[in-house]
Amino acid sequence: MAEDVFKALADSTRRRILDELVERDGQTLFEICTRLVTKHGLGLSRQAISQHLAVLESAGLVRSRRQGRYKFHDLNTKPLERIITRWLKPDTTEEPHEDPPHQRLRR
């Protein structure tokens, strides 16, 4: 699963899609395409953006939901949180200091 996330994040267009979803979650394909053109100058087809969204969905970074005839795309940060916590563990090996904290800064 982590490999899919890294693959999805490797592409700058997909990162821009995620940036747009961070800024405004729950967008349709049309809204995402419009924002990519106006804010980033990306003139990709709707089909190309749809394929990028499919990669993001398969990595778990985007969730889609249908509401009537519209399909909305929402950011899902859980896969990123799993990757981050995989390597960030509390540091319990720190040596205790002999000096009190207020005296450590004076050296």
Side-chain angles (χ1 to χ4, degrees), residues 61-80:
L61 293 168
V62 171
R63 290 186 181 147
S64 295
R65 57 186 163 83
R66 286 215 174 264
Q67 194 171 351
R69 42 180 255 183
Y70 297 102
K71 185 176 181 183
F72 296 93
H73 304 279
D74 299 294
L75 179 65
N76 179 26
T77 58
K78 293 292 182 199
L80 295 173

Side-chain angles (χ1 to χ4, degrees), residues 16-36 38-39 53 62-65 70-75:
R16 286 184 177 145
I17 292 170
L18 293 175
D19 289 341
E20 291 305 318
L21 291 174
V22 165
E23 204 170 292
R24 186 169 166 268
D25 217 9
Q27 295 184 58
T28 64
L29 176 61
F30 177 78
E31 291 170 312
I32 293 169
C33 290
T34 302
R35 290 172 71 97
L36 290 174
T38 58
K39 292 178 73 177
L53 284 167
V62 171
R63 290 186 181 147
S64 295
R65 57 186 163 83
Y70 297 102
K71 185 176 181 183
F72 296 93
H73 304 279
D74 299 294
L75 179 65

Side-chain angles (χ1 to χ4, degrees), residues 34-50:
T34 302
R35 290 172 71 97
L36 290 174
V37 168
T38 58
K39 292 178 73 177
H40 304 284
L42 292 177
L44 298 173
S45 68
R46 286 178 22 165
Q47 183 178 3
I49 299 300
S50 181

Side-chain angles (χ1 to χ4, degrees), residues 48-62:
I49 299 300
S50 181
Q51 290 172 349
H52 283 297
L53 284 167
V55 172
L56 291 168
E57 279 188 70
S58 70
L61 293 168
V62 171

